[in-house]
């Protein structure tokens, strides 16, 4: 079906635009920017901010361009005195209720409200503050904080949480001067359905939603004499960190990243891709064993902690379907304080493990009570590590890392590429693609095929599982077995797939689920903005990086092979189980009902 | 939560049988049947679960409309308008009279967004910003019924009638 074109006029010039576009979208494609604070393409059309107003010939009042569709012959004026005045008034009304202490605000220089005020040359407000109720900052979540004082009630967060993630942890409660974004009975986020994904904070136009910061504890560890601080960088970081330093989105900067981490003062610069390769070996074998032994199928991936929390909250009956594999971040933490400590003869209590993650939920994951296998390992050997020892000590996001690089005075753009350290810095292209939706699946299939047939896939690029489609499926013939797989990203899509599993109607053997749209490259810890376009560019970077790697199959990673020889013995061994696997538990948010 | 209450809520939800926008009706009915005329947290969590509407959304709806209450209310409820018109016409006296005739729990004084209930849960008194009926000032609402041009004498009569009603 071809879309109908409409002839419209914007500021006196004639354009042909597709039917169904809003005035705001049409103007944008004509290169005319209309300021907006609440509109979110494809997600939110609440039209609450009133910043996007324009004049339409023949209309008595100004209209909100984000929710007004274009029609044949419409004449739009985006820059009249009346429009400017209305925008000023609306911004000033927002500012009247706003703290305006940008210097103290985490969002300083990245804030849409601040930028817009500046763009529109609004410097002050003469309106009185009308909001009366005060709400304390909600800091209950290990991943993010919510500060009502800075909230402009645009409801973008509410819509993302609902439309994209189908979590629905938040909604606007009360009305008028009392309105505020709230969980059920205003209990903190941590007691709600929230899965810590941070998709809300990626779209928040102000500093109302911010990730929890851990940079302080990282600097402290680096500064402490005698402390051995190792850092692991997740696959998705290299595909996005450049955006923080003025690079175009989609530029993989692996070597630069390693160089920057080393300059910051980490003792060893390692790569989470190493444990991503390891995850593939363990999970691939888990799949093969479940198929052979008629275990619970479909097997579902477990490396995305937001997804795990989602399953624990909404699909507790299906927890046996989840792979018992820990995520690469947690496998890394455990191994750093056990195998690596022993191999390098370093006192495990002197090791600090820092993760750089694209993800706010990873902060939550590292704090899960069961994520302390290293302490257990040493206890079994008669050695007590200090109380409260975690496998992973601090988790910082890509944005926090960029802050730290800036604070270090490192000129990121001028760094010469360096390599990650051995042994945990060795990885394959299969580990790299963990960063994109479909990547874990593709990596697993590459290895499963080789394990079952003894030879590599003819074409390692499994294009069927790539792309941005919400749910994608593929089948692969392996020695007479037709392996059926599916990939879902964004929890709304995950919910769809899970409902099918729930009904016993899932045709798949193996499902990959990633919490965030696009996979980890679109995580809540990544640079802002993270539009679909930006996410697609990061995905391209991930696959180009994969193709440039000498090894592209996890089972060929020499460091992983050595790890099995020296420590784990074989996949799914007893040691593997206690070090690399975990369990999940139902989250009952409303007990007794 | 008691099984009988769950059954009652199930019944109410069923009677609306998925009609669009039925949440308001369901909640109204549940509140009406509650002995203290309010919506307890567990009741709302259960309603959310049964209707499949996310709890945060249910909470959003309940807090948006002023006729829903999240705290126990007395058997009778009087809302007094404290808008400008009603204030000028003496709505303050009505509030003062109620305060002097009953013993309220947790009354910290003031009259903006007041919501107080007597110790014996007989009467709840609340204030509203404006009923939108300023021509009838001062306006009060008693158990859902609007009264205009109310004097203290009239209020006394209304209270007497409530006592007699024994519903
Ligand atoms: S949210 Fe934006 S405008 Fe508000 S204080 Fe922070 S930086 Fe300034
Ligand atoms: S972090 Fe994710 S789940 Fe939690 S409120 Fe934000 S969007 Fe919803
Ligand atoms: S928290 Fe941010 S995204 Fe959510 S309503 Fe407030 S300003 Fe908008
Ligand atoms: S962007 Fe249109 S009303 Fe906010
Ligand atoms: S001021 Fe009381 S009804 Fe309007």
């Amino acid at each position: 079906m071809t879309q109908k074109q409409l002839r419209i006029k914007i500021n006196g010039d004639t354009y042909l635009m597709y039917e169904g576009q809003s005035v705001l979208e049409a103007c944008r494609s004509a290169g005319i920017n209309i300021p907006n604070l609440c509109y979110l393409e494809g997600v939110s059309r609440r039209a609450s901010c009133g910043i996007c107003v324009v004049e339409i010939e023949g209309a008595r009042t100004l209209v909100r361009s984000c929710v007004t569709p274009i029609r044949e012959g419409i004449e739009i004026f985006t820059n009249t005195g009346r429009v400017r005045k209305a925008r000023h008034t609306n911004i000033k009304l927002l500012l009247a209720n706003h703290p305006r202490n940008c210097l103290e605000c985490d969002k300083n220089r990245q804030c849409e409200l601040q930028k817009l005020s500046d763009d529109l040359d609004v410097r002050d407000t003469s309106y009185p503050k009308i909001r009366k109720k005060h709400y304390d900052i909600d800091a209950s979540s290990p991943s993010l904080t919510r500060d009502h004082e800075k909230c402009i009630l645009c409801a973008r967060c509410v819509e993302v949480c609902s439309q994209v993630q189908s979590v629905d942890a938040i909604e606007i409660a009360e009305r008028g001067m009392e309105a505020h974004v709230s969980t059920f009975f205003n209990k903190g986020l941590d007691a709600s359905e929230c899965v810590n994904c941070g998709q809300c904070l990626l779209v928040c136009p102000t500093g109302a939603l911010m990730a929890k910061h851990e940079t302080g504890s990282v600097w402290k560890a680096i500064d402490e004499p005698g402390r051995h601080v190792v850092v692991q960088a997740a696959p998705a970081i290299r595909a996005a960190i450049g955006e923080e330093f003025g690079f175009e989105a989609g530029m993989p900067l692996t070597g630069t990243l390693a160089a920057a981490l080393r300059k910051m003062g980490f003792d060893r610069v390692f790569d989470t891709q190493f444990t991503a390769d390891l995850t593939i070996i363990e999970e691939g074998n888990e799949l093969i064993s479940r198929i052979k032994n008629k275990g619970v199928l479909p097997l579902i991936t477990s490396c995305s902690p937001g997804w795990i929390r989602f399953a624990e909250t909404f699909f507790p009956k299906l927890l046996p379907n989840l792979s018992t594999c820990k995520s690469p971040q947690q496998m890394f933490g455990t191994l750093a304080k056990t195998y690596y400590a022993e191999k390098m003869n370093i006192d495990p209590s002197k090791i600090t493990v820092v993760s750089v993650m694209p993800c706010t939920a990873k902060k939550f994951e590292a704090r899960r009570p069961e994520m302390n296998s290293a302490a257990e390992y040493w206890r079994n050997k008669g050695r007590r590590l200090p109380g409260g020892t975690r496998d992973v000590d601090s988790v910082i996001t890509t944005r926090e890392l960029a802050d730290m690089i800036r604070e270090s005075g490192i000129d990121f753009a001028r760094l010469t590429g360096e390599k990650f350290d051995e042994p945990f810095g060795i990885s394959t292209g299969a580990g790299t693609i963990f960063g994109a939706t479909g990547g874990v699946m593709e990596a697993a299939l590459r290895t499963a095929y080789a394990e079952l047939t003894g030879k590599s896939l003819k074409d390692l690029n499994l294009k069927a599982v790539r792309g941005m489609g919400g749910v994608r499926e593929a089948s692969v013939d392996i020695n007479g077995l037709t392996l059926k797989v599916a990939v879902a990203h964004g929890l709304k899509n995950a919910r769809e797939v899970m409902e099918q599993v729930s009904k016993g109607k899932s045709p798949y053997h193996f499902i990959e689920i990633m919490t965030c749209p696009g996979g980890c490259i679109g995580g809540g810890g990544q640079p802002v903005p993270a539009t679909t376009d930006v996410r697609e560019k990061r995905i391209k970077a991930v696959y180009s990086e994969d193709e440039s790697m000498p090894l592209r199959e996890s089972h060929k990673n020499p460091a992983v092979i050595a790890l099995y020889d020296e420590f784990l013995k074989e996949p799914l061994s007893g040691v593997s189980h206690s070090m690399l696997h975990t369990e999940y538990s139902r989250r009952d948010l409303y007990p007794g009902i | 939560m008691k099984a009988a209450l769950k059954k009652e809520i199930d019944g109410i939800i069923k009677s609306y049988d998925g009609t669009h926008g039925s949440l308001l009706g369901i909640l109204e009915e549940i509140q009406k049947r509650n002995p203290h005329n309010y919506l307890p947290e567990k009741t709302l969590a259960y309603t959310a679960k049964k209707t499949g509407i996310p709890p945060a959304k249910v909470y959003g709806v309940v807090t948006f409309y002023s006729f829903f209450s999240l705290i126990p209310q007395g058997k009778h409820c009087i809302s007094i308008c404290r808008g400008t018109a009603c204030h000028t016409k003496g709505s303050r006296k009505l509030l003062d009279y109620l305060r002097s005739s009953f013993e309220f729990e947790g009354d910290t004084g003031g009259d903006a967004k007041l919501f107080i209930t007597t110790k014996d849960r007989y009467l709840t008194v609340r204030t509203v910003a404006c009923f939108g009926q300023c021509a009838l000032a001062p306006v009060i609402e008693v158990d859902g019924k609007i009264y205009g041009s109310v004097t203290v004498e009239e209020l006394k009569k209304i209270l007497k009638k409530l006592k007699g009603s024994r519903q």
Side-chain angles (χ1 to χ4, degrees):
Chain A
M1 210 178 70
T2 51
Q3 237 179 332
K4 203 173 135 194
Q5 285 207 315
L6 304 175
R7 189 174 293 273
I8 69 168
K9 266 190 172 175
I10 308 173
N11 300 335
D13 297 329
T14 306
Y15 298 88
L16 273 180
M17 292 285 166
Y18 287 112
E19 187 174 30
Q21 276 187 312
S22 66
V23 168
L24 186 141
E25 284 156 356
C27 289
R28 195 179 272 173
S29 17
I32 295 158
N33 196 25
I34 297 186
N36 60 87
L37 279 176
C38 69
Y39 168 73
L40 201 55
E41 196 178 341
V43 178
S44 182
R45 297 163 65 88
R46 285 213 186 192
S48 56
C49 75
I51 303 294
C52 67
V53 287
V54 296
E55 242 181 290
I56 305 273
E57 183 65 41
R60 236 170 8 94
T61 51
L62 297 176
V63 304
R64 301 190 172 203
S65 62
C66 65
V67 286
T68 308
I70 54 167
R71 49 182 163 72
E72 180 64 34
I74 191 171
E75 283 187 54
I76 304 158
F77 298 93
T78 66
N79 189 24
T80 64
R82 208 170 144 215
V83 164
R84 278 193 300 272
K85 191 162 169 241
R87 286 181 187 156
H88 276 211
T89 306
N90 289 339
I91 286 242
K92 285 181 176 178
L93 285 169
L94 288 176
L95 292 179
N97 288 305
H98 200 84
R100 307 201 295 280
N101 54 345
C102 302
L103 190 59
E104 294 166 26
C105 182
D106 220 11
K107 195 80 170 206
N108 197 7
R109 298 195 298 166
Q110 296 192 335
C111 173
E112 284 180 53
L113 178 62
Q114 187 188 47
K115 176 164 187 309
L116 205 59
S117 308
D118 186 42
D119 286 354
L120 301 188
D121 202 20
V122 174
R123 305 282 156 209
D124 51 21
T125 179
S126 47
Y127 296 97
K129 179 176 167 120
I130 53 164
R131 259 198 225 168
K132 301 222 167 61
K133 256 196 197 166
H134 173 84
Y135 294 91
D136 289 338
I137 294 179
D138 176 3
S140 63
S141 162
S143 302
L144 59 155
T145 55
R146 172 179 278 290
D147 181 356
H148 171 66
E149 297 295 312
K150 290 181 188 150
C151 174
I152 60 167
L153 294 168
C154 68
R156 280 183 185 174
C157 56
V158 174
E159 292 298 329
V160 162
C161 191
S162 178
Q163 305 300 318
V164 178
Q165 299 297 54
S166 78
V167 169
D168 287 294
I170 45 180
E171 181 51 279
I172 295 193
E174 304 195 52
R175 64 205 285 180
M177 294 181 290
E178 270 96 35
H180 61 284
V181 177
S182 176
T183 55
F184 186 62
F185 276 80
N186 236 333
K187 295 175 195 291
L189 271 178
D190 203 40
S192 78
E193 290 82 356
C194 172
V195 301
N196 310 60
C197 70
Q199 290 302 306
C200 52
L201 66 83
L202 289 181
V203 298
C204 178
T206 73
L209 286 170
M210 296 307 300
K212 278 253 175 92
H213 270 218
E214 296 181 48
T215 48
S217 62
V218 176
W219 281 132
K220 201 170 152 232
I222 291 177
D223 290 344
E224 188 185 317
R227 189 136 280 288
H228 186 79
V229 189
V230 304
V231 64
Q232 56 167 324
I237 312 299
R238 63 212 71 193
I241 182 83
E243 293 164 38
E244 287 276 345
F245 298 97
F247 289 86
E248 275 281 309
M251 178 81 93
L253 291 165
T254 313
T256 319
L257 171 66
L261 290 169
R262 200 164 283 125
K263 286 221 161 28
M264 284 167 62
F266 288 108
D267 295 300
R268 286 290 181 284
V269 178
F270 289 141
D271 197 341
T272 314
Q273 288 182 188
F274 164 72
T275 34
D277 279 332
L278 180 60
T279 303
I280 287 302
I281 310 292
E282 289 290 319
E283 204 161 278
N285 278 283
E286 190 182 7
L287 175 66
I288 293 167
S289 131
R290 285 202 195 193
I291 292 175
K292 280 196 181 142
N293 305 322
K294 302 220 177 321
V296 183
L297 289 173
L299 177 71
I300 309 175
T301 57
S302 57
C303 31
S304 182
W307 146 242
I308 295 296
R309 188 162 173 163
F310 184 83
E312 290 179 325
T313 304
F314 295 105
F315 295 96
K317 289 205 183 94
L318 300 180
L319 292 177
N321 288 79
L322 267 51
S323 162
T324 56
C325 287
K326 284 181 185 170
S327 72
Q329 150 167 286
Q330 293 304 141
M331 286 193 183
F332 182 99
T334 305
L335 291 174
K337 292 188 178 181
T338 55
Y339 168 72
Y340 172 76
E342 278 178 335
K343 190 177 160 102
M344 311 305 279
N345 202 12
I346 304 171
D347 177 351
S349 70
K350 292 266 183 297
I351 296 179
T352 294
V353 176
V354 174
S355 312
V356 186
M357 293 285 140
C359 177
T360 47
K362 288 280 167 192
K363 292 175 184 274
F364 152 74
E365 180 182 66
R367 278 168 189 73
R368 289 181 67 112
E370 65 275 18
M371 294 302 171
N372 62 348
S373 314
E376 174 117 5
Y377 174 86
W378 288 107
R379 195 176 315 123
N380 290 336
K381 294 200 152 195
R383 164 102 211 261
R384 277 196 179 274
L385 297 189
T389 297
R390 314 292 307 152
D391 290 347
V392 172
D393 296 281
S394 301
V395 181
I396 56 171
T397 62
T398 317
R399 294 188 302 268
E400 286 174 87
L401 174 64
D403 286 343
M404 293 180 79
I405 293 174
R406 280 188 282 266
E407 195 180 349
S408 311
I410 295 168
D411 189 347
F412 188 81
R414 283 175 50 190
L415 289 177
T416 321
E418 292 177 14
K419 279 195 155 50
F420 285 99
D421 288 314
E422 295 191 6
F424 289 1
I426 300 172
S427 69
T428 73
T432 307
I433 57 177
F434 259 63
T437 165
V440 177
M441 181 56 71
E442 184 167 342
L445 290 176
R446 288 178 190 173
T447 285
Y449 187 89
E451 292 249 327
L452 291 170
T453 64
K455 48 182 197 276
S456 290
L457 275 163
K458 266 211 207 76
D459 183 2
L460 287 177
N461 301 315
L462 290 157
K463 296 246 162 76
V465 294
R466 298 187 186 177
M468 279 293 267
V471 180
R472 311 185 291 282
E473 46 177 40
S475 11
V476 188
D477 276 309
I478 308 182
N479 264 0
L481 165 77
T482 307
L483 196 68
K484 290 192 157 184
V485 302
V487 170
H489 60 131
L491 292 172
K492 190 174 203 175
N493 298 317
R495 186 183 284 277
E496 202 180 287
V497 171
M498 291 308 280
E499 254 143 32
Q500 200 184 28
V501 178
S502 231
K503 289 188 192 121
K505 287 191 178 145
S506 182
Y508 311 114
H509 296 97
F510 191 27
I511 302 175
E512 177 204 292
I513 292 182
M514 290 296 152
T515 306
C516 298
C520 308
I521 52 86
Q526 291 282 61
V528 187
T531 56
T532 308
D533 178 54
V534 167
R535 289 178 204 232
E536 279 170 353
K537 287 184 177 142
R538 292 177 189 160
I539 289 177
K540 276 216 186 95
V542 164
Y543 288 114
S544 77
E545 183 76 352
D546 167 36
E547 294 214 23
S548 76
M549 305 274 280
L551 295 174
R552 296 178 62 198
E553 291 157 286
S554 298
H555 54 278
K556 297 193 174 159
N557 182 330
V560 170
I561 295 170
L563 172 67
Y564 278 108
D565 283 346
E566 294 167 17
F567 189 64
L568 298 170
K569 305 306 168 215
E570 57 181 23
L572 308 183
S573 70
V575 195
S576 293
H577 262 288
S578 58
M579 299 280 102
L580 309 181
H581 291 254
T582 185
E583 51 196 33
Y584 314 105
S585 42
R586 148 195 293 270
R587 268 169 209 276
D588 195 357
L589 297 177
Y590 309 104
I593 61 154
Chain B
M1 226 171 113
K2 293 226 174 66
L5 178 56
K6 286 188 184 177
K7 235 175 116 186
E8 191 176 353
I9 297 176
D10 290 348
I12 296 171
I13 293 173
K14 204 158 168 232
S15 71
Y16 280 86
D17 204 22
T19 26
H20 186 71
S22 56
L23 182 64
L24 279 184
I26 292 171
L27 292 171
E28 226 182 314
E29 184 79 28
I30 295 175
Q31 171 161 315
K32 212 159 72 196
R33 297 217 207 159
N34 179 287
H36 301 299
N37 199 17
Y38 83 115
L39 293 164
E41 187 181 322
K42 286 221 154 94
T43 298
L44 287 177
Y46 184 75
T47 310
K49 183 171 146 190
K50 283 290 158 170
T51 53
I53 299 167
K57 299 255 180 246
V58 172
Y59 183 72
V61 166
V62 168
T63 53
F64 186 84
Y65 294 100
S66 59
F67 54 82
F68 290 124
S69 175
L70 293 175
I71 35 182
Q73 304 194 69
K75 188 169 152 208
H76 300 291
C77 180
I78 301 183
S79 305
I80 299 196
C81 179
R82 292 293 294 134
T84 321
C86 294
H87 175 75
T88 326
K89 294 274 185 131
S91 73
R92 172 96 221 196
K93 277 193 211 127
L94 305 175
L95 185 57
D96 288 346
Y97 175 75
L98 290 171
R99 273 188 162 134
S100 65
S101 338
F102 295 91
E103 204 183 330
F104 291 99
E105 227 168 21
D107 186 0
T108 49
D111 60 358
K113 284 229 133 195
L114 188 72
F115 190 111
I116 46 176
T117 301
T118 57
K119 284 206 167 119
D120 59 1
R121 293 265 162 91
Y122 173 73
L123 180 68
T124 289
V125 172
R126 51 201 289 186
T127 55
V128 297
C130 174
F131 278 115
Q133 314 240 23
C134 314
L136 299 176
V139 180
I140 69 170
E141 187 192 69
V142 182
D143 291 343
K145 209 177 140 198
I146 295 277
Y147 294 80
S149 316
V150 183
T151 58
V152 171
E153 284 316 305
E154 212 145 333
L155 180 58
K156 281 183 189 164
K157 272 190 218 149
I158 293 171
L159 286 169
K160 211 178 242 162
K161 243 176 52 206
L162 283 187
K163 271 254 156 63
S165 70
R166 289 268 63 120
Q167 46 129 329

